[in-house]
Amino acid sequence: MPAKLICFVVSLILLHGCNQNSTEPTAPPKTEAAPEPVSTTAEAKQPAIPGAQSFKKDGVTAEIASWDETQKFIAKQKGKIVVVDLWSTWCEPCLREFPQLVALQKKYPEKVVCISFNLNYDGSKNSPPESNSEELMEYFAKQKADIINIISSTPDEKLYESINLAAIPAAYVYGTDGKLIKRFDNEKQEYGKEGFTYEKDIEPMIDKLLKTNQ
């Protein structure tokens, strides 16, 4: 092959190689944006009782649980005062005091755990605990009850017997060690004709306990 032809072929090969290596540099792969943090509002709250059937409405939650399950939850709240309010929608004194339970939680959001324990369920097979959920969620939403709302799966009469309680309203106050300090009820009429209230009986006690634990 003539020398001139050989030089021409070599030149073509070199030119072709340069064209392959002169492509535009590829852009680095795009990284996906980090996911937004999960909301910690009441709408995203997990049930206080693991596995409990729960309901949500307007940022307020409620769940179905037994008294024993609730006691196990209370025992885990070490370092906090726990107030459990036993009530029902047919109990007028209960409804009168319910907003004060909600207010107490707002006053001490980090130091106190307020639990509403509803006793509408009477054990009837035709009216299981969840049958009252719609009515109760309407009430919780209206009260803006951003507390732990439990619909009892323990029939009311069975619970009264097991905890030796004659009637509601009643409120249990547990100390920071998880032990019961006092039960407020109106059986002995020690709180006058109107019965105990959060304003004159329970809240002053909570204030005193918190000052003692400082």
Side-chain angles (χ1 to χ4, degrees):
M1 181 181 292
K4 290 184 178 180
L5 181 59
I6 293 173
C7 290
F8 178 72
V9 171
V10 171
S11 298
L12 288 176
I13 293 173
L14 291 174
L15 180 62
H16 179 67
C18 290
N19 287 338
Q20 283 186 323
N21 293 331
S22 62
T23 56
E24 292 293 327
T26 57
K30 295 182 178 179
T31 57
E32 295 184 1
E36 293 293 326
V38 177
S39 172
T40 56
T41 61
E43 193 66 20
K45 282 182 180 177
Q46 295 298 316
I49 312 299
Q53 182 180 359
S54 60
F55 308 89
K56 299 179 182 180
K57 183 178 178 62
D58 298 338
V60 174
T61 62
E63 55 201 274
I64 296 176
S66 69
W67 180 251
D68 289 341
E69 288 172 324
T70 304
Q71 293 300 306
K72 291 178 182 178
F73 171 77
I74 294 168
K76 296 178 181 179
Q77 308 309 303
K78 300 295 185 182
K80 295 185 178 182
I81 293 172
V82 180
V83 179
V84 185
D85 190 293
L86 280 68
W87 70 288
S88 174
T89 55
W90 49 257
C91 169
E92 188 61 35
C94 300
L95 297 178
R96 187 169 59 245
E97 288 301 307
F98 192 94
Q100 304 308 316
L101 175 70
V102 177
L104 179 63
Q105 183 67 87
K106 291 180 179 179
K107 182 178 180 180
Y108 297 115
E110 304 297 331
K111 299 179 179 180
V112 177
V113 177
C114 291
I115 302 174
S116 77
F117 193 86
N118 177 265
L119 287 167
N120 277 21
Y121 177 52
D122 62 4
S124 171
K125 293 182 179 180
N126 296 326
S127 301
E130 60 270 22
S131 64
N132 289 308
S133 60
E134 186 174 349
E135 173 194 359
L136 290 171
M137 292 311 298
E138 287 287 345
Y139 182 76
F140 292 142
K142 182 179 179 180
Q143 296 295 328
K144 295 181 172 55
D146 189 13
I147 59 178
I148 296 175
N149 299 297
I150 294 180
I151 302 170
S152 177
S153 61
T154 305
D156 56 355
E157 292 298 333
K158 183 178 180 180
L159 179 59
Y160 293 151
E161 182 179 353
S162 67
I163 62 178
N164 193 28
L165 178 67
I168 51 177
Y172 286 66
V173 178
Y174 298 80
T176 54
D177 58 357
K179 296 181 180 180
L180 179 64
I181 296 177
K182 185 175 178 62
R183 183 177 85 180
F184 291 86
D185 60 57
N186 296 324
E187 294 180 14
K188 298 179 182 179
Q189 296 185 342
E190 60 181 299
Y191 304 106
K193 293 181 179 180
E194 294 183 357
F196 73 86
T197 68
Y198 276 85
E199 182 179 7
K200 69 180 178 64
D201 300 303
I202 298 179
E203 191 169 334
M205 179 182 181
I206 300 299
D207 292 339
K208 185 177 180 179
L209 288 171
L210 291 174
K211 289 179 181 179
T212 302
N213 293 328
Q214 285 181 351

